[in-house]
Amino acid sequence: MKANVAQLPRLDRVISCLQQSIDAGGSLPDLDALAAIAHYSPFHFHRVYRALTGETIGRTVQRLRVVKALQRLAHSDASVTEIALLAGYDTPQALARVLRDTVDASASELRMDPQRMANSIEQLSRPLPLAEQTAPLSVEVITLEPFEVVALRAQGAFDDLDAVFGELFGWAAEQGLIEQLQQLIGMPQGDHRELPTEELQFDCALAFSADLPALPASLQRQVLGGGRMARLRHVGSYALLEDATDQLLRDWLPGSGHALRDAPLHYHFLDDPEDVPEAILRADIYVPLAAG
């Protein structure tokens, strides 16, 4: 985690801005404004923030609101209803649920136990510590030539992506393109660890060595690659690709001398989960880097 020291003041500015907005009871800055405060690209800000802090912006806001509510409970005689509203909760019941989930106590129990209150405030005043990286990541910096893919957007559970790839394979078989299939590609449009299933989008894609025919309306041509990329080989469950991407952004990028480029990352799936045990599935993670 030593490589991240230079990044921390940038994220501290984001957290301080959120804290000030919560204290003032005003609206929260949007992601573009927070990215500008941290001097990160809006394209990758939410992903870098989670990788370096271990929590989403939403989780940070929730944590800071609870801290503010606890501080008011500890140092004022205001009612729980008043404190809940000042902290940004619609009802005292909403605050009660959050307190039960985060510190397993009610407002009255905490007020009767000052030490427990102090411990809870201290615990929630900072993100949970990140696990130390036990071995250096083997990241390659390569130049990737642009290539075209046929993509189909999936919406729903991450575990249901096989059905979407099956639909793509069916189309390729109808077009006689199976023998020209070169790559299976995935392009996450959000993080399946933090989004509700109904909001999760993921582009499933195939790359071919042959010219493509006209596509039906449900399929899209997209061009990927083109430029410098950080490539990390992930071995294990494909559901853990986001965790591996976090490691690249947290443990390799800050000390690498590279910066991110405003372009989507993608995964190159090397194995079929139906044929290869989950523990040894392979996929390459490609993260776009700015020209050096």
Side-chain angles (χ1 to χ4, degrees):
M1 298 297 294
K2 292 180 180 179
N4 295 332
V5 170
Q7 310 297 315
L8 295 181
R10 300 162 70 175
L11 298 182
D12 284 345
R13 289 196 293 270
V14 172
I15 295 171
S16 177
C17 177
L18 291 171
Q19 182 69 73
Q20 291 171 14
S21 297
I22 291 169
D23 289 348
S27 59
L28 296 173
D30 61 21
L31 281 178
D32 285 354
L34 294 174
I37 290 168
H39 300 292
Y40 280 116
S41 160
F43 202 91
H44 295 290
F45 170 68
H46 72 285
R47 190 179 294 276
V48 173
Y49 184 89
R50 173 163 182 153
L52 294 179
T53 66
E55 64 183 15
T56 64
I57 288 289
R59 169 59 186 158
T60 298
V61 169
Q62 182 190 61
R63 182 170 54 77
L64 294 177
R65 279 183 169 149
V66 174
V67 169
K68 178 53 61 179
L70 291 177
Q71 289 171 337
R72 286 178 171 137
L73 281 169
H75 302 298
S76 80
D77 295 327
S79 69
V80 174
T81 297
E82 183 180 355
I83 288 170
L85 295 176
L86 287 172
Y89 297 98
D90 292 333
T91 65
Q93 290 77 16
L95 174 59
R97 287 193 295 271
V98 171
L99 291 178
R100 186 59 65 185
D101 290 341
T102 54
V103 297
D104 193 25
S106 67
S108 59
E109 288 171 337
L110 290 167
R111 271 182 160 164
M112 290 187 296
D113 191 340
Q115 186 58 55
R116 187 176 184 183
M117 177 83 80
N119 292 342
S120 297
I121 292 172
E122 181 181 3
Q123 173 190 340
L124 292 170
S125 292
R126 56 186 180 275
L128 291 174
L130 297 169
E132 292 287 346
Q133 180 69 20
T134 56
L137 295 177
S138 180
V139 179
E140 300 175 277
V141 176
I142 64 167
T143 298
L144 190 65
E145 293 299 321
F147 63 98
E148 189 174 51
V149 299
V150 177
L152 177 60
R153 178 155 296 182
Q155 183 152 354
F158 183 81
D159 292 339
D160 295 338
L161 294 180
D162 282 350
V164 181
F165 275 112
E167 188 173 341
L168 279 171
F169 274 107
W171 170 84
E174 291 174 359
Q175 301 298 319
L177 291 172
I178 293 297
E179 295 300 321
Q180 286 75 44
L181 178 61
Q182 289 188 315
Q183 296 184 55
L184 275 70
I185 302 293
M187 294 164 281
Q189 304 302 311
D191 191 330
H192 70 90
R193 299 168 301 179
E194 63 187 64
L195 287 174
T197 298
E198 63 274 12
E199 294 181 16
L200 182 64
Q201 293 184 329
F202 191 98
D203 285 351
C204 302
L206 304 178
F208 301 93
S209 59
D211 292 335
L212 296 176
L215 302 181
S218 60
L219 303 183
Q220 291 184 337
R221 295 174 187 259
Q222 296 189 30
V223 177
L224 297 180
R228 186 172 293 184
M229 295 276 184
R231 180 170 65 188
L232 173 65
R233 173 67 54 86
H234 168 71
V235 179
S237 169
Y238 286 160
L240 298 177
L241 279 164
E242 293 284 4
D243 292 343
T245 304
D246 282 356
Q247 289 182 349
L248 186 155
L249 296 174
R250 182 183 69 234
D251 300 322
W252 177 81
L253 181 66
S256 70
H258 294 283
L260 296 176
R261 174 162 46 94
D262 285 356
L265 63 83
H266 69 270
Y267 307 137
H268 178 193
F269 298 111
L270 300 171
D271 296 311
D272 185 342
E274 293 187 1
D275 299 328
V276 176
E278 183 177 71
I280 56 173
L281 287 170
R282 298 169 304 148
D284 285 337
I285 302 167
Y286 287 85
V287 175
L289 301 175

